[in-house]
Amino acid sequence: MKKTIKFLNQLEDNFCAIILAIMTVLAFINVIARYVFLASFPWVEELNRLGLVILTYVGAAVALKQHAHLGLSILTDKLPVTAQKVITVLGCVAGLFFCYVAINYGYKMVANEYSHHVLTQGMQWPEYLFGLWLPVGCVVLAIRFLQQIIHVFLGKEDSEA
């Protein structure tokens, strides 16, 4: 089980790194094209938009895994450990609620885009391929929130343990 979790953690991290690298290369190519050809490629902007959507939700899950989300802990640090755990669980429950709402909205949005055959402006790709990452990313984020809750109840300090 630990090997599977470690593999999935590395897969998630590497996936984000690959998406970021692709976005960087595409943006660089587009800048060079603007200066050399005096025109940019519209498909680069669409692909970078897709990459940004992917990185937003999958990156939020990676940040949650690494405890890298911003937080104001000036009050919670002064509370007893039990109260800190309760607040952590409440925060995760609020995060799960956000994921639930975003997954429902994302599903409806993708179904609407699919049924109406909405295409992107530049590449004429199906728009639902872009919108699909909202519910997918929120499912990954919800899994991380659930892991966080489980780790609080098991008393583990590190969520990758």
Side-chain angles (χ1 to χ4, degrees), residues 48-151:
N48 276 346
R49 187 183 76 189
L50 174 61
L52 188 60
V53 169
I54 294 170
L55 283 180
T56 298
Y57 294 104
V58 179
V62 170
L64 184 62
K65 171 183 68 176
Q66 297 173 351
H67 304 289
H69 281 278
L70 292 176
L72 184 61
S73 62
I74 191 166
L75 297 175
T76 56
D77 287 346
K78 297 180 190 265
L79 295 174
V81 175
T82 306
Q84 289 178 6
K85 289 181 179 184
V86 168
I87 289 174
T88 300
V89 169
L90 288 175
C92 289
V93 168
L96 283 170
F97 178 73
F98 165 78
C99 289
Y100 171 77
V101 170
I103 290 167
N104 280 335
Y105 170 75
Y107 173 76
K108 290 175 184 174
M109 178 184 71
V110 169
N112 187 35
E113 290 170 349
Y114 182 78
S115 67
H116 289 95
H117 306 289
V118 180
L119 301 175
T120 61
Q121 290 181 355
M123 297 184 297
Q124 297 297 301
W125 284 7
E127 186 73 37
Y128 72 87
L129 294 176
F130 289 63
L132 188 63
W133 286 97
L134 172 62
V136 168
C138 285
V139 165
V140 174
L141 186 58
I143 290 169
R144 289 297 180 189
F145 278 123
L146 288 171
Q147 282 180 331
Q148 194 76 18
I149 291 171
I150 291 168
H151 288 284

Side-chain angles (χ1 to χ4, degrees), residues 29-35 37-45:
I29 289 170
N30 208 26
V31 168
I32 296 299
R34 255 188 246 141
Y35 285 106
F37 304 118
L38 300 175
S40 63
F41 302 116
W43 53 270
V44 170
E45 292 178 27

